[in-house]
Amino acid sequence: MTKIGFILGTVFSLTLLAGSAGAHFGMVIPSDNMVMPSDPRSVSVTLSFSHPFELVGMEMEKPEAFFVVANGQNTDLRGNLEQTTTMGHTAWKTDYPLKRPGIYVFVMEPEPYWEPAEDSFIVHYTKAVVTAFGDDDGWDREIGLKTEIVPLSKPFGLYAGNVFQGIVKLNGKAVPHGEVEVEYYNQNREAAAPTDYMITQTIKADKNGVFTYAAPRAGWWGFAALNTADYKLDYQGQKKDVELGAVLWVKFEEWK
Ligand SMILES: [Cu+2]
């Protein structure tokens, strides 16, 4: 390594130490994603912007939009959000009653987040899918977000070790060779990464925008497909790039 490379490397590691080595993830985490007749008839949904493996939070403004798509209808839930704290930072939360069997897709569109370390704004369109009372029709439905992961595997009822497949879409079109970052929500602090390279894993979609990932462990896994927006936003009088993320949270279950 050259001297300058060493210095840059050192500066870069120090930057990482100050913040986090993992990726940013919009998070939409329901208290239950397969609601059975014997379960409580309501789910609590928590929204945050975090580094899920390292459990490092960031301040999150009230999202620009938060809604649920169920039984062919969009219901605005933004007004129901209450401020809460996740990973030591501002997050948002609501309880949502499940009245009928069906698929409930919770969708968050955050305000753009200014990230000085990346000299760019970040906007993660984030989804999680809940199925209730035995009806799972429409789990593969595309919501029509600016950018979105459309599941090819049912996004629930997966065993740890199963593969998950989805299509990365931007403006309704598949993104060939799109990059997808994958991170585990290390909720109970039980997982440890052998190296910083293994906090976030990165895969690419194929030429049809299809990506495949096998989760090694039960729990919530976040998939974030990243693209640069075709517009810029203003930061202190300068035009800055916007990272658009299509994020989907999928829970894998233990094989017993
Ligand atoms: Cu961060």
Side-chain angles (χ1 to χ4, degrees):
M1 193 188 286
T2 62
K3 197 169 183 189
I4 184 75
F6 176 75
I7 291 166
L8 285 176
T10 308
V11 169
F12 187 58
S13 342
L14 290 175
T15 311
L16 288 180
L17 281 177
S20 113
H24 299 83
F25 276 78
M27 296 184 74
V28 172
I29 305 290
S31 53
D32 188 359
N33 70 329
M34 292 184 286
V35 182
M36 308 309 286
S38 57
D39 289 336
R41 300 177 74 87
S42 157
V43 286
S44 148
V45 187
T46 305
L47 317 180
S48 71
F49 189 53
S50 309
H51 298 274
F53 193 99
E54 300 152 287
L55 301 170
V56 173
M58 284 162 286
E59 288 296 302
M60 189 192 182
E61 282 179 58
K62 190 168 186 178
E64 170 149 328
F66 177 56
F67 56 95
V68 63
V69 183
N71 302 300
Q73 269 187 303
N74 282 30
T75 308
D76 184 8
L77 301 176
R78 187 178 184 272
N80 303 11
L81 288 174
E82 284 169 36
Q83 200 172 319
T84 182
T85 301
T86 298
M87 303 174 220
H89 289 268
T90 306
W92 301 85
K93 179 180 179 172
T94 190
D95 290 326
Y96 183 76
L98 304 163
K99 298 202 176 92
R100 291 207 266 160
I103 288 285
Y104 295 79
V105 185
F106 292 92
V107 182
M108 166 180 77
E109 298 184 14
E111 293 286 351
Y113 178 90
W114 170 248
E115 176 53 77
E118 292 177 21
D119 194 36
S120 121
F121 286 94
I122 303 176
V123 181
H124 282 184
Y125 294 78
T126 308
K127 300 192 293 186
V129 182
V130 171
T131 182
F133 315 126
D135 179 2
D136 61 9
D137 235 32
W139 59 265
D140 54 351
R141 184 172 157 208
E142 186 172 345
I143 306 295
L145 305 176
K146 169 90 181 154
T147 185
E148 182 169 358
I149 290 173
V150 181
L152 288 174
S153 315
K154 251 187 217 180
F156 46 82
L158 292 154
Y159 291 106
N162 277 167
V163 298
F164 177 80
Q165 286 192 307
I167 309 178
V168 179
K169 294 225 175 164
L170 179 65
N171 298 319
K173 284 193 208 120
V175 182
H177 311 296
E179 192 168 289
V180 182
E181 294 188 334
V182 187
E183 225 176 277
Y184 179 66
Y185 183 18
N186 194 8
Q187 242 168 337
N188 305 316
R189 289 189 188 272
E190 283 169 356
T195 80
D196 281 358
Y197 291 108
M198 300 175 77
I199 293 169
T200 309
Q201 293 187 289
T202 305
I203 51 182
K204 289 186 89 171
D206 67 11
K207 64 179 188 325
N208 301 310
V210 174
F211 70 88
T212 304
Y213 181 80
R217 182 188 180 94
W220 284 102
W221 287 83
F223 298 91
L226 305 175
N227 284 286
T228 304
D230 53 7
Y231 60 87
K232 291 187 190 271
L233 290 176
D234 197 79
Y235 180 75
Q236 296 182 342
Q238 286 188 300
K239 298 277 174 220
K240 298 292 186 181
D241 280 345
V242 182
E243 174 195 289
L244 293 181
V247 183
L248 176 64
W249 282 92
V250 180
K251 192 170 177 234
F252 292 76
E253 312 293 329
E254 216 171 302
W255 174 272
K256 287 185 180 165

